[in-house]
């Protein structure tokens, strides 16, 4: 049966307009926080740049997305790179991650607020969540036009309030907006 999110995103990936080659900044800048061994999930992974980074770091990596196109591309990349990534076409809203499953979860540019308690529960004790996505406060038109898919001020911090906050960055429109980390918020939180 066709799935509206899958249809929409399959069309996006088929057009070649989407698909990042680089892992998200929160992961690159704070890679030193990653455990050396353990399990990791790239949730709503798209073409899986984060998953590739996690697997190259040595973590036993899973990557889930509702788009078959995206998952197929990641599967091919993993084969080319000689990496083992456990890919799955999965609607994470219908089937959220199971409790106590991962040491690391990465979410980038995907915001489904009702899912966040499940994501936190899916972390092992001391597990880490790396999250980065768009904010409503922005200096240009990057990202979704629908504000429902963008974070309100400090919202990511509140949504992840049950975690020990290790890193939080959200610069809004403060100061010289030609510089800094704009349009987005980033967080690393640890489950205690
Ligand atoms: C803006 S893209 C971000 C992809 C990737 N995380 C990145 O940073 O490049 C949003 C992704 O969420 C996926 N997605 C949307 N709804 C989903 C759902 N219900 N379950 C799983 N993935 C979903 C889309 O297929 C798409 O790959």
């Amino acid at each position: 049966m066709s799935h509206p999110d899958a249809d929409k995103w399959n069309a996006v990936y088929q057009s070649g307009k989407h698909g990042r080659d680089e892992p998200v900044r929160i992961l690159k800048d704070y890679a030193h926080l990653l455990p050396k061994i353990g399990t990791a999930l790239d949730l709503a992974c798209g073409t899986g740049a984060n998953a590739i980074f996690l697997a190259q770091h040595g973590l036993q990596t899973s990557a889930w997305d509702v788009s078959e196109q995206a998952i197929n591309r990641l599967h091919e990349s993993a084969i080319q790179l000689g990496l083992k990534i456990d890919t799955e076409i999965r609607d994470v809203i219908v089937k959220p991650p199971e409790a106590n499953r991962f040491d690391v979860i990465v979410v980038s540019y995907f915001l489904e607020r009702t899912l966040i308690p499940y994501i936190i529960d899916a972390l092992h004790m001391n597990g880490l969540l790396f999250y980065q996505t768009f904010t409503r406060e922005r200096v240009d038109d990057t990202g979704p036009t629908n504000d429902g898919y963008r974070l309100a001020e400090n919202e990511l911090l509140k949504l992840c309030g049950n975690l020990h906050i290790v890193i939080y960055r959200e610069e809004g429109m403060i100061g010289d907006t030609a510089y800094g980390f704009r349009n987005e918020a980033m967080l690393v939180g640890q489950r205690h």
Side-chain angles (χ1 to χ4, degrees), residues 9 22 24 39 52 83 91 96 105 110 112 121 138 147 192:
W9 282 101
E22 285 287 303
V24 71
T39 49
I52 289 169
L83 293 170
D91 182 334
I105 300 179
F110 176 75
E112 172 55 46
D121 274 0
R138 53 191 184 268
D147 267 357
H192 277 182

Side-chain angles (χ1 to χ4, degrees), residues 19-31 34 42 45 47-57 81 106-109 130-132 181 184 186:
R20 281 179 316 104
D21 294 332
E22 285 287 303
V24 71
R25 184 162 170 190
I26 187 78
L27 197 52
K28 275 194 298 189
D29 286 3
Y30 297 99
L34 290 170
D42 184 0
C45 60
T47 50
N50 299 329
I52 289 169
F53 186 87
L54 293 164
Q56 285 172 333
H57 186 84
L81 293 164
V106 179
V107 188
S108 61
Y109 308 115
F130 289 70
Y131 209 124
Q132 181 174 327
F181 174 70
E184 301 179 22
M186 58 160 79

Side-chain angles (χ1 to χ4, degrees), residues 59-79:
L59 297 171
Q60 193 188 318
T61 303
S62 301
W64 303 343
D65 198 286
V66 76
S67 161
E68 186 182 356
Q69 288 284 330
I71 289 295
N72 287 346
R73 264 168 64 181
L74 172 56
H75 186 67
E76 279 165 26
S77 306
I79 291 171

